[in-house]
Amino acid sequence: MGGQMQQSNAAAAASLYDQPGAAGGSFYSAGPTSDAGDAVMARWLQSAGLQHLASPLASNNMPNALMQGYGAQSTEEKQRLFKLMRNLNFNGESGSEPFTPTVQSVPADGFHSPEFRGDFGAGLLDLHAMDDTELLSEHVIPEPFEPSPFMVGSTASFDDENSLIGNKHLRGEGQADADAPAVLTAYDKEIVPRENNVAKIRVVVRKRPLNKKELSRREDDVVTVYDNALTVHEPKLKVDLTAYVEKHEFCFDAVLGEDVSNDEVYRGTVEPIIPTIFQRTKATCFAYGQTGSGKTFTMKPLPIRAAEDLLRLLHQTVYRNQRFKLWLSYFEIYGGKLFDLLCDRKKLCMREDGRQQVCIVGLQEFEVRDVQIVKDYIERGNGARSTGSTGANEESSRSHAILQLVVKKHSEKKDMRQNTDGNEAKNGKVVGKISFIDLAGSERGADTTDNDRQTRIEGAEINKSLLALKECIRALDNDKLHIPFRGSKLTEVLRDSFVGNSKTGKKSFKKWKCEEGSITKLTTSST
Ligand SMILES: Nc1ncnc2c1ncn2[C@@H]1O[C@H](COP(=O)(O)OP(=O)(O)OP(=O)(O)O)[C@@H](O)[C@H]1O
């Protein structure tokens, strides 16, 4: 599942071209280019495997050179050159005239080819998603990003072999672009400019240990976990009733064994995305799996850790004086309807504005000043959440719960005005957000025989929305132009997490027990 992160590209290029000695401060400025500029350009070209074009392009204006197909001979070279240009084009916010390639300037067979779209991702070119922030120029950081303790490669624990699963992937080892780091340190930007591409979707599977009930029944553990893959050993019977075991192998971006702690889950999935929230990213992390597989157990601590790191970043030098604030909201989708979990389950309405931005009318947002507040709100929200008992889980979540942490920028003037009506969150401009979604557990029909009517209706609604979600993810991953968002309320609400500058992390959960449903789930997640 490959994809790109435009904003990281922006940050990378901004820092490269703002270096002292780099030509003109802007790639697009015409005229003589300095040696430093040539070197930078050479590195960019090298990163796309186009080093042989370095000299003619360095001494010319690159957009024009590209328009004329300068140097690039084959279609593939032209595509690569265009992609490189496109990446740079997202950095045009430094004040220079952005280069907008016309349809004619792009090789007809290149731009529309699946390979080409695959690198940018169909959803990633949605410019509507950018309008609501209008913060680009303010976000250009004139100095390398202040190293944060949770950036890839900056902590000892991240280098620790046992510490994290996803580390290898985040560094781009083993797999190509799809596993490139979500977050770049200044060092990364210099050395590996292409690695600022991160996967659009990252799928991590966590295996939960046997619970007491299962242990007492002496049921076998049929899942073996290794590296980023797992094998399910499914006991089967031949027609002559001879027992045999069928093996099913699945590969994911990361697979977490039963001994992995919640903290390690955070460090391998959400932590690397956190700094990108300040760069207009809308990230989503959701837990998907059968009822009783451990979704709530895994999701509950993640927003707390994320809020802690977001608050720490807010206080870093680069953001301290920018009037950024962190806001929290928590709501659920139950039976196709939205309820505010922090406001007496007030019924909410979902609307799309003129720019196709999802707005949840009436949703209360609370300012987060410290982590304790987040803990309190999560407790409060979980207490208000719709739960019930199913055959597989006594305290089963019967709704999709969505907790959002939003970084907003506030202007002094507006803050003063709205302090009087107490509606401060509304006046901030969204810088970026991260949504944590604890999906309701899916159920197989065979597990629902003991359920009452209400539970079955709930189950049908849950399965329907999960199916719609699967369709959207599949369409997104296949770079389909049409993403069927309107399939359910859940996917409608998630719309802006799938388009624009978004990243989606998905955790699938594996129960130890081998069931038809488990294998279906893993097959769905791995495709
Ligand atoms: N990795 C784990 N380690 C220890 N216990 C776990 C783990 N994962 C889940 N559990 C336990 O399993 C039980 C079910 O977990 P949980 O409620 O999170 O499932 P769920 O997938 O959210 O179910 P549902 O969809 O029905 O709400 C809980 O008692 C939880 O404490």
Side-chain angles (χ1 to χ4, degrees):
M1 290 185 174
Q4 298 266 336
M5 185 180 72
Q6 299 160 358
Q7 191 54 46
S8 280
N9 290 339
S15 84
L16 280 171
Y17 283 87
D18 288 344
Q19 282 175 52
S26 164
F27 186 79
Y28 302 103
S29 57
T33 319
S34 72
D35 289 347
D38 286 0
V40 171
M41 199 179 295
R43 274 210 303 279
W44 269 88
L45 286 164
Q46 195 177 9
S47 71
L50 295 168
Q51 56 277 21
H52 52 288
L53 305 180
S55 6
L57 285 177
S59 56
N60 287 278
N61 181 304
M62 191 166 178
N64 288 341
L66 177 72
M67 297 286 280
Q68 294 151 16
Y70 196 107
Q73 296 302 320
S74 66
T75 306
E76 195 202 336
E77 276 184 352
K78 284 176 185 165
Q79 282 179 19
R80 269 194 258 158
L81 194 53
F82 182 76
K83 276 187 243 179
L84 197 61
M85 278 302 305
R86 188 74 197 226
N87 285 352
L88 288 171
N89 194 35
F90 283 115
N91 307 309
E93 64 270 18
S94 55
S96 50
E97 188 65 26
F99 167 66
T100 310
T102 61
V103 174
Q104 292 85 345
S105 72
V106 183
D109 52 347
F111 185 75
H112 297 287
S113 72
E115 297 84 10
F116 183 82
R117 285 190 288 111
D119 261 22
F120 290 105
L124 295 180
L125 294 174
D126 182 351
L127 297 177
H128 292 294
M130 295 180 159
D131 290 345
D132 62 340
T133 62
E134 299 156 15
L135 291 164
L136 263 180
S137 54
E138 295 169 73
H139 277 223
V140 174
I141 301 165
E143 55 194 81
F145 194 83
E146 203 170 305
S148 87
F150 44 83
M151 277 184 163
V152 177
S154 65
T155 55
S157 61
F158 236 79
D159 291 332
D160 182 342
E161 222 178 272
N162 301 323
S163 83
L164 217 80
I165 40 121
N167 206 2
K168 181 168 79 176
H169 301 277
L170 298 169
R171 287 169 187 279
E173 288 169 25
Q175 287 183 36
D177 283 359
D179 289 326
V183 183
L184 293 177
T185 59
Y187 170 82
D188 292 327
K189 287 175 190 173
E190 289 279 344
I191 305 298
V192 279
R194 286 198 82 206
E195 287 195 347
N196 46 26
N197 310 322
V198 294
K200 271 184 300 189
I201 303 175
R202 214 174 118 76
V203 186
V204 178
V205 175
R206 184 182 197 186
K207 179 190 173 189
R208 79 147 163 77
L210 296 157
N211 62 30
K212 280 186 195 155
K213 210 165 155 187
E214 292 152 352
L215 281 169
S216 67
R217 281 195 234 130
R218 293 169 181 254
E219 294 183 28
D220 295 325
D221 184 340
V222 292
V223 178
T224 322
V225 168
Y226 43 93
D227 293 331
N228 59 344
L230 62 85
T231 305
V232 179
H233 307 271
E234 186 185 13
K236 284 202 152 183
L237 282 180
K238 286 186 186 167
V239 276
D240 62 0
L241 299 184
T242 323
Y244 72 102
V245 174
E246 194 172 296
K247 282 188 185 178
H248 305 268
E249 305 230 354
F250 300 92
C251 275
F252 299 93
D253 293 304
V255 178
L256 315 181
E258 54 204 292
D259 49 349
V260 170
S261 68
N262 279 338
D263 194 52
E264 287 171 315
V265 174
Y266 173 77
R267 279 189 275 133
T269 53
V270 178
E271 188 183 63
I273 299 171
I274 296 297
T276 71
I277 302 303
F278 291 84
Q279 297 163 359
R280 294 191 325 185
T281 293
K282 289 173 180 170
T284 304
C285 173
F286 62 84
Y288 172 76
Q290 278 176 271
T291 174
S293 54
K295 297 181 296 298
T296 308
F297 180 85
T298 300
M299 292 303 288
K300 207 173 157 188
L302 296 181
I304 300 169
R305 291 294 318 275
E308 198 178 337
D309 285 342
L310 283 167
L311 286 171
R312 196 180 309 159
L313 266 185
L314 277 178
H315 295 115
Q316 283 202 348
T317 328
V318 279
Y319 301 121
R320 201 178 296 145
N321 301 320
Q322 303 227 28
R323 289 186 302 280
F324 286 165
K325 286 186 181 177
L326 182 62
W327 297 91
L328 178 147
S329 59
Y330 197 15
F331 63 100
E332 73 170 6
I333 304 173
Y334 175 74
K337 296 188 177 72
L338 276 63
F339 300 94
D340 194 334
L341 291 175
L342 299 178
C343 203
D344 301 324
R345 297 183 54 79
K346 190 176 83 179
K347 206 170 160 195
L348 303 166
C349 238
M350 200 213 73
R351 300 256 184 273
E352 256 181 39
D353 67 12
R355 293 170 299 172
Q356 294 174 315
Q357 296 292 307
V358 178
C359 308
I360 300 177
V361 182
L363 179 66
Q364 279 290 321
E365 290 179 285
F366 298 87
E367 191 182 348
V368 176
R369 289 175 198 262
D370 60 59
V371 181
Q372 188 54 43
I373 292 177
V374 181
K375 287 182 188 162
D376 295 346
Y377 284 137
I378 290 177
E379 285 303 321
R380 198 166 124 193
N382 286 350
R385 202 176 159 188
S386 306
T387 54
S389 180
T390 63
N393 189 3
E394 275 180 20
E395 208 185 327
S396 175
S397 315
R398 309 304 290 159
S399 65
H400 306 304
I402 303 175
L403 187 146
Q404 293 187 325
L405 291 172
V406 187
V407 176
K408 291 188 181 181
K409 183 176 170 72
H410 296 262
S411 76
E412 264 173 312
K413 210 171 150 193
K414 279 181 181 168
D415 277 2
M416 274 168 61
R417 195 185 60 197
Q418 62 77 40
N419 270 347
T420 52
D421 66 12
N423 200 14
E424 187 179 349
K426 297 280 174 295
N427 285 331
K429 283 184 180 174
V430 176
V431 174
K433 76 173 172 187
I434 181 159
S435 310
F436 297 91
I437 307 178
D438 181 9
L439 293 171
S442 58
E443 285 169 34
R444 291 190 312 151
D447 291 335
T448 61
T449 46
D450 296 340
N451 291 352
D452 58 21
R453 185 170 176 274
Q454 177 63 18
T455 314
R456 285 190 199 202
I457 293 171
E458 283 172 358
E461 187 66 41
I462 291 167
N463 285 353
K464 196 177 109 188
S465 57
L466 293 176
L467 186 69
L469 179 65
K470 187 191 81 176
E471 290 305 321
C472 284
I473 291 175
R474 187 165 285 173
L476 190 72
D477 191 44
N478 291 333
D479 295 317
K480 290 271 190 309
L481 292 174
H482 172 68
I483 311 280
F485 296 112
R486 293 187 211 287
S488 77
K489 203 51 117 200
L490 173 68
T491 46
E492 280 187 72
V493 169
L494 288 183
R495 185 185 184 282
D496 68 349
S497 295
F498 289 127
V499 298
N501 220 12
S502 57
K503 292 179 192 61
T504 304
K506 173 182 174 187
K507 293 200 189 63
S508 287
F509 292 84
K510 180 69 197 87
K511 292 205 290 186
W512 67 276
K513 200 174 159 191
C514 187
E515 294 167 343
E516 196 190 316
S518 313
I519 294 174
T520 314
K521 214 112 281 117
L522 290 168
T523 312
T524 307
S525 303
S526 63
T527 50

